[in-house]
Amino acid sequence: MPWIARLRQTVRQLRRRPAFALLAILTLAGGIGAVTAMYGVVRAVLLEPLPFPEADALVAIDARAPTGFRVSVSIPDFRDWRTRQRTFQPVGGAAAFGPRFSKRGPAGAGRARGIIDGFFEALSFTPAVGRLISAPETEVGAEAIAVLGHGWWQRRVGGDPAILGQTLVLDGRPYTIVVGLRAGEGWPTPDTELYIPMGSVPGLPFDDRDSGFGTQAIGRLADGVTPAMAAEDLGRVGAEVEAEVGEPVNRPELRTFREFYLGDVDRHLWILLAGVGCVLLIGIVNVAALQLTRGEDRRHELAVRTALGATRRGLVQELLLESLVLATAGGIVGVGLAWAGTRFLVPYLPEGVPMALLARIGVNPAVLGFALVVTL
């Protein structure tokens, strides 16, 4: 019997038992939809590259206090580590600020970062127009200049390049705008509005080794350097500084950028994916039980068809085709559930998932391919 004829016969048989067909399809759809939605989350957050150029070469340099706690990096520590290290090229740092701006739109608090040293070079950011802030321009007494995040630049002036060279007043001080970043670039997310030299902010404790005011150091590994080699080099630097100071000081500690950016979110997401995978397996077992029960009901029918000349191979093909029809229908409905589920899941994901990664969660071709594999 041609496959088209077999397919039509299978559909007719399922239509004669709509309760069985509907229950099987919905059961499979629930499992396929759940595991596909969760895979979409895992792929967007864990499997795709981080939203930074050559992110595998980026590392975070933390400060570990003598008490054992992780603290922010002080500027004296940063300077010691930067000048003594041999494995990074370049190194930079940034701290969060909330200046009030009063030009180019309504006054309000901005999401800003004060940067130091080779911050933009380490992250390999490039300007859409203008230029970036160089390392010498971030030191104490630095010129008051500002880099605009792409989103702020677009919202406030429609991305007008004529804003370069104009003045932006932050906390009552005039800052000259030198650049607008490209779309998708930003630290820690593209939503950051402004970047200013840390040295242009008055009153910061630049010479206090015990004050980090939220600074996070970032380094880009030199060619051929592994994270393990860099961690060993930082251990040497920490020991040298402590020996010179003559008392316990904060020690540098390295984390890969994925560890720093995601924390333990990856463990939670893999557990969630395994959990919904179990839901799918339960659904498959339930549908298999339904088919076994239906098979008992069809025993007489199959015996009659065998007596009339139906081959064992033909009957097996028909049963497999029925399973394929049910799974395909369940997969189609499941993809729809996955599309809605990804939007439902986002607010309930573990805390700490960066917004830049949440924004790319969705049902894309790769996720559809996964749904196809699960359906088959």
Side-chain angles (χ1 to χ4, degrees), residues 8-32:
R8 289 173 179 170
Q9 179 179 328
T10 298
V11 173
R12 284 196 300 268
Q13 289 177 346
L14 290 174
R15 289 176 64 182
R16 294 192 193 105
R17 299 170 179 82
F20 162 77
L22 184 61
L23 182 59
I25 290 172
L26 292 180
T27 301
L28 290 174
I32 293 173

Side-chain angles (χ1 to χ4, degrees), residues 188-371:
T189 72
D191 293 332
T192 300
E193 298 175 334
L194 301 164
Y195 302 85
I196 58 178
M198 196 176 288
S200 70
V201 180
L204 289 183
F206 263 71
D207 298 320
D208 185 355
R209 193 176 291 276
D210 295 324
S211 178
F213 51 87
T215 303
Q216 173 64 55
I218 302 164
R220 181 171 289 275
L221 298 175
D223 292 342
V225 176
T226 65
M229 295 166 61
E232 182 178 356
D233 184 54
L234 286 178
R236 171 192 61 80
V237 170
E240 288 180 359
V241 173
E242 188 167 278
E244 289 184 9
V245 173
E247 61 182 12
V249 297
N250 298 338
R251 291 285 190 107
E253 185 177 88
L254 181 142
R255 281 187 287 172
T256 66
F257 220 56
R258 184 165 291 276
E259 292 172 340
F260 163 72
Y261 206 62
L262 296 177
D264 60 354
V265 165
D266 56 345
R267 179 170 60 88
H268 295 300
L269 292 184
W270 285 120
I271 291 173
L272 288 173
L273 181 60
V276 296
C278 291
V279 172
L280 175 61
L281 291 177
I282 292 171
I284 291 171
V285 170
N286 288 337
V287 173
L290 286 173
Q291 289 183 300
L292 287 173
T293 302
R294 183 163 179 257
E296 288 296 320
D297 295 337
R298 298 180 64 188
R299 183 186 296 272
H300 178 70
E301 172 199 338
L302 297 177
V304 171
R305 292 173 61 183
T306 301
L308 293 175
T311 64
R312 179 185 297 270
R313 179 179 179 180
L315 294 175
V316 170
Q317 287 178 343
E318 182 180 326
L319 294 175
L320 287 175
L321 185 59
E322 179 180 293
S323 295
L324 182 60
V325 169
L326 292 172
T328 301
I332 293 172
V333 177
V335 167
L337 294 176
W339 180 83
T342 52
R343 286 151 180 76
F344 173 81
L345 278 173
V346 168
Y348 298 98
L349 291 177
E351 293 184 4
V353 180
M355 289 299 298
L357 304 185
L358 292 178
R360 63 189 189 185
I361 293 175
V363 180
N364 53 39
V367 176
L368 289 176
F370 175 83

Side-chain angles (χ1 to χ4, degrees), residues 45-117:
V45 176
L46 303 181
L47 302 183
E48 294 183 8
L50 293 177
F52 300 96
E54 300 177 356
D56 289 342
L58 288 172
V59 295
I61 307 171
D62 301 310
R64 181 71 68 174
T67 56
F69 294 101
R70 185 179 289 148
V71 296
S72 59
V73 179
S74 69
I75 300 305
D77 283 339
F78 175 84
R79 287 169 172 161
D80 284 337
W81 302 345
R82 176 194 61 192
T83 55
R84 296 170 185 261
Q85 61 82 26
R86 303 168 183 167
T87 52
F88 303 107
Q89 185 62 36
V91 183
F97 289 93
R100 296 189 65 83
F101 48 80
S102 55
K103 196 171 182 180
R104 286 282 165 189
R111 293 187 298 273
R113 286 292 187 277
I115 66 169
I116 190 168
D117 209 73

